[in-house]
Amino acid sequence: MTEINFQPLDIAACYGTGFTAKAISYGTASFLAPPRLKIGPSHVAVLCEFHGSMVWIESTTLCKHPCAILGYQVDGCQAHLPEDRIRDYITTGGHVDLYRLSPIEKLSQSESELLTTILVRHFIGQRVTYDLGGALVSGTRLFKRTRLLPQADLNELFCSELVAAVCMRLGRMNRSNPTRFNPACLLRELVRQGTFRFEREFPALPRRTPGVFP
């Protein structure tokens, strides 16, 4: 994979090929959504700078790699090299879209440092676990819009809840309950308000037919 110039608060929109990933993407589909987001991602991650390198921060229970900061495999908030996680998706038939802050929304140095503090020192350092219940509720179309929506608990987070929480803290998203944002809903909100825009795609790699050589 060629070298990529990632930036702090880049959002990776991941499209997996498994049953659960497809269920999330098609279950949150909307024909009224912005281009590329009519079928939403099944997972999102956010990037920040840590010790001079860009790292991919996500909350998940499905990653096979050990956390790049903790040094062991965890369920919940964790860090990885972005190239490794992108490769996980594109080599299995999925793809990843990268969304970036609009130029006037670019983070200042102090905001970038705050982003790293929130993601690494708090969410990963405090061993914030995965919020399965919140993830299930966020995927509903009606329940999450009622008063029955549970209040946010930042001691456990699902993927888009984590990204929504940091965008709100950094003033790139209006304050609300981050629990109500599934991956598709989150990106549609950010693109519609002009804060983020599509940057590039990492497409699926072609699969070789067994017994056929190039």
Side-chain angles (χ1 to χ4, degrees):
M1 186 182 298
T2 58
E3 185 177 351
I4 305 152
N5 182 27
F6 293 109
Q7 295 181 11
L9 207 60
D10 278 354
I11 297 175
C14 308
Y15 293 77
T17 56
F19 174 79
T20 300
K22 291 290 188 182
I24 294 170
S25 289
Y26 288 96
T28 57
S30 172
F31 291 110
L32 301 178
R36 300 192 70 89
L37 290 171
K38 297 183 186 302
I39 303 297
S42 56
H43 181 64
V44 290
V46 62
L47 285 99
C48 73
E49 185 175 2
F50 180 67
H51 289 176
S53 299
M54 297 303 299
V55 290
W56 166 300
I57 309 293
E58 62 186 326
S59 185
T60 183
T61 61
L62 301 175
C63 183
K64 62 184 179 181
H65 306 295
C67 173
I69 293 172
L70 298 176
Y72 53 86
Q73 190 174 2
V74 298
D75 288 344
C77 295
Q78 54 196 273
H80 302 285
L81 297 179
E83 293 83 1
D84 288 344
R85 291 299 281 136
I86 291 171
R87 188 177 298 110
D88 288 341
Y89 281 91
I90 66 176
T91 57
T92 56
H95 71 278
V96 176
D97 283 351
L98 190 71
Y99 286 83
R100 178 162 292 169
L101 286 165
S102 299
I104 62 171
E105 299 285 357
K106 186 177 179 179
L107 297 187
S108 66
Q109 183 59 38
S110 61
E111 288 175 321
S112 179
E113 292 170 358
L114 177 58
L115 173 66
T116 300
T117 297
I118 294 170
L119 292 173
V120 176
R121 294 185 183 177
H122 182 73
F123 289 155
I124 294 179
Q126 298 296 319
R127 311 295 197 272
V128 172
T129 56
Y130 187 76
D131 181 9
L132 177 59
L136 294 174
V137 170
S138 75
T140 65
R141 294 184 182 272
L142 297 177
F143 181 77
K144 69 177 182 178
R145 301 182 187 278
T146 72
R147 294 182 179 180
L148 297 176
L149 178 70
Q151 68 181 37
D153 179 3
L154 300 187
N155 292 313
E156 55 178 16
L157 297 164
F158 57 92
C159 66
S160 48
E161 186 180 25
L162 180 153
V163 179
V166 296
C167 285
M168 291 177 193
R169 177 64 182 85
L170 292 168
R172 267 52 178 194
M173 190 174 183
N174 293 333
R175 289 278 187 174
S176 64
N177 186 345
T179 304
R180 77 179 184 88
F181 291 97
N182 58 56
C185 180
L186 171 66
L187 279 170
R188 289 166 186 155
E189 178 83 6
L190 293 171
V191 170
R192 282 178 176 138
Q193 67 185 24
T195 308
F196 282 78
R197 62 187 186 184
F198 172 74
E199 178 68 16
R200 63 165 296 177
E201 178 189 15
F202 301 93
L205 295 179
R207 295 188 178 185
R208 293 181 180 177
T209 302
V212 177
F213 299 93

